[in-house]
Amino acid sequence: MGRSGLASRLDSPSRQLVWDLARELEQVRLHNVEVKKVKAYERRSFYEKLDRIDRERAAEHNAALDKVAELHDKVREEAEGVLKEHLWQVEQERLRKEEEARKERERVEREKAEKLRQAQEEAARLEAERKAQEEARRKAAEEAEKARKAEQEEKERKEREKAEQETQKRIAEQQKAEKEALQREAEASKKAQIEQQKKIGASNLSQEETRIHLRYVELHQHLKKFRKWLRDESKNNPVVKQNMGDLRRSIKKCVGQLREGKGANKGQLQEIRTTLEKALSIPEPSVGIRQFFAFPPESIANSDDNKVPALLIYTLNIFAKSLIASLITEAGINLGHAEPIGIVAAQIFSMDTFTYKGCHLVDLLWAKYRVVCPALWGFYGDEKTTDGKAALGWWRQEAGGPFVPEQTHADRMTALGAGFAALTLRNFGKTPRKNPFPNTMFWHSMHKILSLPASELQETHIILLAAMLHSSAQRIVGFFGHMGLALIRKAIVDVPKNLPRQSMGVNKLKLLKDLYKREKNILI
């Protein structure tokens, strides 16, 4: 009914044909879908069958493997048991052999020990027999030797007594000769020493004072050699050469510019300090410091580590030389110039920066001072003789040449005396620094000069006294009190009164009494 109804709706054969074709195609499509489903089912069934077969085979294989593993474990366990049994038997066999070997060793050792004991007993027996024989022979020999020695000793005693008598006689003669030789040598040495002390004007000084002075003279010569060595060193070291020249020129310039007046030398003092610090900052070349002390303390003399920059020693030495040169040039004319020299010297030499282990390096200055003015330390001589002039510090116009004129010498001594007072009469009571020029040095120098007999006092000593006391009265009284007044009185009253001569120096010394009264209100 449906088809007829549909056919009735078709109004042409072509439509009928199209409809039939579409229906056929739909049937084909449906058939293909069914075929695909069948194929998919067949494929799934095939693979499921394969998976089942694989599982079954895997189960069979696993069962077989498990069986084989179980068999393998059983075989392994049996093998391990057999191995353990075998190892136990081997270990037992080893222990048995070790025990047998140990017993064999013990047996051998016992046999050796027994043989050794028997041998020792035999040796001891033989040794005892030998000692007994030797003891018998020794006793016999001792008896014989004792008799022989008794005879020999008696003979030797007689010979010894005779020899001792001869030896004592010879020793007595030899001691007598040696004593006489030592006496002659001592007399010759004493005579030579007296001659040497007399030659250098040290007859009134002790041997120790002479030795100290000669050590300073030796240090002065050493400083000359040191400067020459450093100049030679600078030829191969441009830094040293450049700094040597700069340091020397700076020091000489500043010392030459020192002037009187409070605060007048502040700039010069600072530049001198800066120059010395620059020298200190150049470490090489270095030198051992103890050679620049006349008598170094034990802490320095026994120390191996005592190196200091060579340029510092050089610059301090130039500073000391410049101070003395400036004194001689200007203080001989104007005594007031000695004061700034003393102030600057005391300040520089007392600075901790320029000390070594708390020791001031002032020996560089005193070595030069002692050479140019030994009279300050009690040396004297007849100014009319060459040796006397040399002993008093007369300068020569050139090395080995004639001495300078009397006026030039007087100016030099005036300058050096005033400079010595300016150095050694400084007051360090208000500063924590240690005084590099103790006031006792001034007292010692005055004592040495004033202790000379009036007949031996030379014009040089008188000039030195006048220069040292000219501007020092207040300081002497301040430092030494009544003893200072007594010192001044002896110098300016007693000494001129006891001198048999009148000279320019003596007159200057006498005038100090009025000068003190007029300017210082000090009555002597």
Side-chain angles (χ1 to χ4, degrees):
M1 178 178 178
R3 183 173 182 179
S4 63
L6 180 63
S8 63
R9 290 194 298 270
L10 297 176
D11 54 0
S12 67
S14 57
R15 288 179 180 273
Q16 179 66 37
L17 182 60
V18 169
W19 189 87
D20 290 338
L21 180 60
R23 186 170 58 80
E24 290 293 336
L25 289 172
E26 180 64 21
Q27 290 295 326
V28 170
R29 187 186 67 77
L30 293 173
H31 176 72
N32 287 336
V33 170
E34 293 297 328
V35 169
K36 287 180 180 180
K37 289 180 178 180
V38 170
K39 292 292 184 181
Y41 174 76
E42 289 177 351
R43 187 181 301 108
R44 185 170 64 253
S45 298
F46 175 74
Y47 283 115
E48 287 177 354
K49 182 180 181 180
L50 288 178
D51 291 340
R52 179 178 55 75
I53 292 171
D54 288 340
R55 285 194 298 273
E56 291 174 353
R57 288 180 179 176
E60 292 176 359
H61 292 162
N62 289 334
L65 288 172
D66 291 342
K67 187 176 182 180
V68 170
E70 183 179 354
L71 179 61
H72 180 269
D73 290 341
K74 185 177 180 181
V75 172
R76 181 178 55 77
E77 289 175 357
E78 291 176 355
E80 287 178 352
V82 172
L83 178 60
K84 287 181 180 179
E85 178 67 22
H86 174 71
L87 292 175
W88 181 83
Q89 291 177 357
V90 170
E91 179 65 17
Q92 291 300 316
E93 181 65 18
R94 184 184 65 79
L95 292 174
R96 184 185 63 78
K97 289 182 179 180
E98 287 182 354
E99 181 66 19
E100 290 178 354
R102 183 183 64 77
K103 290 180 179 179
E104 180 65 19
R105 286 196 301 272
E106 289 179 352
R107 184 187 63 78
V108 172
E109 289 176 357
R110 283 196 300 272
E111 290 178 355
K112 287 183 178 179
E114 182 63 23
K115 289 180 180 180
L116 179 61
R117 184 185 63 77
Q118 293 175 358
Q120 289 176 344
E121 289 178 353
E122 181 65 18
R125 185 183 63 80
L126 294 174
E127 180 67 16
E129 291 178 356
R130 184 186 64 78
K131 286 184 176 179
Q133 293 175 358
E134 287 184 353
E135 182 67 17
R137 288 195 298 269
R138 184 182 64 78
K139 287 182 178 180
E142 284 181 354
E143 292 296 331
E145 182 67 18
K146 188 175 181 181
R148 187 187 65 79
K149 281 186 176 179
E151 183 180 354
Q152 181 68 20
E153 286 177 358
E154 180 64 21
K155 183 179 178 181
E156 288 178 353
R157 184 184 63 78
K158 293 179 179 179
E159 292 178 352
R160 189 166 54 252
E161 288 178 355
K162 183 179 179 181
E164 285 178 357
Q165 291 176 357
E166 294 178 353
T167 301
Q168 289 177 357
K169 183 178 180 182
R170 186 170 62 255
I171 290 174
E173 293 176 353
Q174 184 177 356
Q175 288 178 344
K176 183 179 179 182
E178 289 178 353
K179 186 176 181 181
E180 292 176 353
L182 288 174
Q183 287 178 348
R184 289 194 298 271
E185 184 178 349
E187 290 175 358
S189 176
K190 186 176 181 180
K191 185 176 180 182
Q193 188 173 8
I194 292 172
E195 288 296 326
Q196 182 187 15
Q197 286 186 301
K198 185 176 180 181
K199 184 176 181 180
I200 64 174
S203 299
N204 66 318
L205 302 179
S206 67
Q207 293 183 9
E208 180 64 15
E209 289 173 328
T210 305
R211 184 183 69 84
I212 291 173
H213 181 78
L214 293 177
R215 173 66 187 108
Y216 276 100
V217 174
E218 180 184 356
L219 176 58
H220 180 258
Q221 294 300 318
H222 180 69
L223 287 169
K224 289 184 177 181
K225 296 176 183 177
F226 164 72
R227 292 195 299 273
K228 182 180 183 301
W229 168 80
L230 196 58
R231 284 195 297 270
D232 294 339
E233 188 75 14
S234 68
K235 295 177 181 178
N236 300 320
N237 191 331
V239 175
V240 174
K241 183 177 182 179
Q242 175 64 34
N243 282 287
M244 276 183 68
D246 293 344
L247 296 171
R248 182 180 64 255
R249 285 187 290 271
S250 177
I251 291 293
K252 287 187 174 181
K253 180 196 72 173
C254 292
V255 174
Q257 292 175 347
L258 296 178
R259 292 295 178 266
E260 296 180 65
K262 187 175 182 180
N265 302 305
K266 186 176 180 180
Q268 290 86 336
L269 179 64
Q270 182 59 40
E271 186 172 347
I272 290 171
R273 180 175 182 174
T274 302
T275 302
L276 288 168
E277 288 174 344
K278 179 181 178 182
L280 182 63
S281 67
I282 303 172
E284 294 296 335
S286 61
V287 290
I289 189 62
R290 60 186 169 195
Q291 61 184 305
F292 299 103
F293 285 99
F295 300 96
E298 290 185 5
S299 60
I300 298 175
N302 299 328
S303 172
D304 294 330
D305 182 20
N306 54 21
K307 297 290 186 180
V308 296
L311 282 175
L312 174 63
I313 300 298
Y314 172 80
T315 310
L316 282 172
N317 183 223
I318 294 299
F319 176 60
K321 286 169 60 67
S322 300
L323 291 175
I324 294 174
S326 182
L327 272 174
I328 294 173
T329 302
E330 300 189 32
I333 301 172
N334 177 12
L335 291 178
H337 185 72
E339 187 63 13
I341 295 289
I343 293 172
V344 171
Q347 290 193 16
I348 292 297
F349 278 107
S350 67
M351 289 180 180
D352 293 338
T353 308
F354 310 125
T355 62
Y356 184 81
K357 293 184 177 180
C359 297
H360 302 109
L361 299 174
V362 291
D363 285 352
L364 301 175
L365 174 65
W366 291 132
K368 179 68 173 176
Y369 224 111
R370 279 179 174 262
V371 169
V372 296
C373 194
L376 284 169
W377 284 267
F379 288 81
Y380 71 94
D382 188 352
E383 291 181 332
K384 296 178 182 179
T385 65
T386 299
D387 290 342
K389 288 184 176 181
L392 287 168
W394 278 69
W395 210 242
R396 294 181 183 270
Q397 295 179 1
E398 58 184 25
F403 290 102
V404 296
E406 289 186 8
Q407 185 57 47
T408 302
H409 173 70
D411 291 342
R412 286 173 59 86
M413 294 299 105
T414 299
L416 292 170
F420 186 80
L423 289 169
T424 57
L425 290 177
R426 304 248 61 87
N427 187 356
F428 273 69
K430 298 181 180 180
T431 177
R433 295 181 188 175
K434 183 180 177 182
N435 188 352
F437 312 114
N439 310 137
T440 52
M441 295 183 69
F442 180 87
W443 183 273
H444 181 266
S445 180
M446 291 291 293
H447 168 70
K448 282 298 178 183
I449 295 175
L450 295 176
S451 296
L452 292 172
S455 59
E456 294 179 356
L457 274 173
Q458 304 295 311
E459 187 67 12
T460 297
H461 298 117
I462 303 302
I463 294 172
L464 286 173
L465 288 175
M468 292 167 69
L469 296 172
H470 185 273
S471 304
S472 307
Q474 287 181 317
R475 292 178 184 174
I476 293 172
V477 174
F479 289 135
F480 307 114
H482 292 295
M483 296 300 294
L485 285 173
L487 179 77
I488 295 173
R489 178 174 180 81
K490 181 174 178 62
I492 67 176
V493 176
D494 296 345
V495 169
K497 182 172 62 175
N498 294 328
L499 285 175
R501 67 183 183 279
Q502 296 297 319
S503 64
M504 182 176 64
V506 175
N507 291 330
K508 286 184 177 180
L509 201 57
K510 289 180 178 180
L511 290 174
L512 290 179
K513 183 177 180 181
D514 294 333
L515 177 68
Y516 292 164
K517 181 180 179 180
R518 183 176 64 254
E519 296 184 1
K520 308 297 182 182
N521 293 322
I522 297 176
L523 299 177
I524 303 299

